[in-house]
Amino acid sequence: MRKLIVTAIVSLDGYFEGKDFDVMALPMGDAFNDHNLERLQAASTLLLGRKTYTDFLGFWPDVAADEEAPEVLRAISRINNTIERVVVSDTLTAAAPWADTEVVARADARKRIAELKAEEGGDIIMFGSRTLWHDLLAAGLVDEIHLMYGPVVLGEGTPMFEAGTVAPVGMVGVQRPDGVVPFPAGTVSPLKLQGVRTFEGSENFVAQYAVVPQS
């Protein structure tokens, strides 16, 4: 079974993007690019929602051939141009240079993603695509969420999680010398922290969560 991994950058106060959908308000930098390249190298399918796919299509295809672009961006572009791509949309039609992108209708998304997860291969990776991964998380199809936090407080914008969309995030229990004492049933988060990664020379860090199936 392949893993479906969501990776996103978020402000310290929990915003997915700034005012007026400004993603550039978040502190990306080298750590963000390095992390995204690593995740792409471990993946064999890139899964996107309509808006993120459109943004990617407008930027990434030509970067691979840009000799003035940083090598990490050119490497990301090369993978984006050749990896299996799937976009969920009721309105898009795949176009050059990514005409071989599979377009899946929203009504069919959960079924198709479940089929992809059952296939052999590397990870299924998602960037951005907040509306889509919220729906897949609610359907129990997301396996991990990797959140890169940067030292920015935005104060407004689009929150990473909407109230009522997913269960509250928190710890699964309290670590004591004699082991972990779990919180009572009903207070356990569906997300379990697996690790935290820092990057040399960067104030960004990645918190990696596993999504715990809820009974």
Side-chain angles (χ1 to χ4, degrees), residues 34-204:
D34 291 344
H35 176 71
N36 289 345
L37 177 57
E38 289 177 6
R39 296 319 322 166
L40 278 168
Q41 289 171 330
S44 54
T45 301
L46 175 61
L47 173 63
L48 301 171
R50 178 195 58 78
K51 182 178 182 302
T52 302
Y53 174 81
T54 302
D55 291 343
F56 273 34
L57 184 61
F59 177 76
W60 284 113
D62 295 334
V63 176
D66 183 355
E67 296 182 355
E68 296 184 0
E71 177 52 34
V72 63
L73 297 185
R74 297 182 70 186
I76 290 172
S77 177
R78 286 192 291 270
I79 296 176
N80 283 341
N81 287 341
T82 56
I83 195 171
E84 177 187 45
R85 293 176 304 276
V86 179
V87 58
V88 174
S89 173
D90 289 334
T91 57
L92 281 179
T93 300
W98 286 358
D100 57 344
T101 302
E102 179 182 352
V103 181
V104 178
R106 291 175 61 89
D108 300 329
R110 293 182 175 186
K111 177 176 180 293
R112 180 59 183 137
I113 296 342
E115 291 172 349
L116 288 170
K117 291 186 64 175
E119 295 177 356
E120 297 290 331
D123 296 335
I124 302 170
I125 187 71
M126 295 186 70
F127 300 107
S129 310
R130 174 176 172 274
T131 300
L132 176 59
W133 69 255
H134 275 200
D135 179 68
L136 298 178
L137 180 63
L141 291 169
V142 175
D143 298 288
E144 295 181 9
I145 299 176
H146 298 184
L147 297 180
M148 173 171 280
Y149 292 89
V152 165
V153 176
L154 295 179
E156 59 182 340
T158 305
M160 178 65 67
F161 297 97
E162 291 181 352
T165 303
V166 295
V169 177
M171 296 183 294
V172 298
V174 177
Q175 179 69 55
R176 294 178 176 169
D178 57 346
V180 174
V181 179
F183 292 136
T187 62
V188 175
S189 165
L191 303 183
K192 183 176 182 180
L193 183 64
Q194 289 190 312
V196 175
R197 182 187 174 191
T198 59
F199 298 82
E200 186 175 355
S202 174
E203 297 183 24
N204 288 15

